[in-house]
Amino acid sequence: MMIDVMTKQHQLIASDRVEGTAVRRPNGDKIGHIERLMIDKVSGKVAYAILSFGGFLGMGTNLLPLPWERLTYNTTFEAYQLDIDDEELKRAPSFRADKDFDWGDRSQEAELHRYYRTPPYWGGF
């Protein structure tokens, strides 16, 4: 008998089910959604969730790389929760949807972690 892993409750989630999931504030207000995840190839740990924020119908959308540990999953809202206001998000390191973040530049990643006040996934600081 095969168990249906998509319906049985467990602690793991497939990456394609995270993409598109809403990101909300603790009060339930929607901030945006997760565009994609960035996973460290060596450790296998999720390093960042790329938050799609702002814009209208895909135009003017900013993508914000969020250190994964800044998000928590809220079972009530069935969404990831981020306790941050719009002004802080607008100032956050971001890139346009038609560009890409330079993932080879460790100094840019370090700046992300300083901004969000989180230790880098690779250690250090």
Side-chain angles (χ1 to χ4, degrees), residues 6 13-21 34-37 39:
M6 300 305 271
I13 187 167
S15 63
D16 62 339
R17 296 195 50 145
V18 175
E19 294 168 2
T21 301
I34 294 176
E35 189 73 26
R36 64 181 168 270
L37 300 177
I39 301 168

Side-chain angles (χ1 to χ4, degrees), residues 44-113:
K45 293 179 181 178
V46 175
Y48 304 100
I50 307 302
L51 172 67
S52 180
F53 171 72
F56 181 71
L57 297 176
M59 295 174 57
T61 300
N62 283 331
L63 299 177
L64 285 75
L66 295 170
W68 183 246
E69 63 268 12
R70 281 299 305 262
L71 297 169
T72 55
Y73 191 75
N74 184 313
T75 56
T76 302
F77 297 131
E78 293 186 357
Y80 288 92
Q81 185 172 299
L82 178 65
D83 193 6
I84 193 168
D85 64 35
D86 280 347
E87 288 308 311
E88 192 174 354
L89 280 176
K90 288 176 185 173
R91 291 188 311 270
S94 66
F95 58 97
R96 304 288 304 161
D98 61 345
K99 304 278 187 215
D100 202 2
F101 188 82
D102 184 358
W103 295 108
D105 184 346
R106 198 39 74 87
S107 66
Q108 281 189 326
E109 285 188 83
E111 177 60 32
L112 283 172
H113 289 276

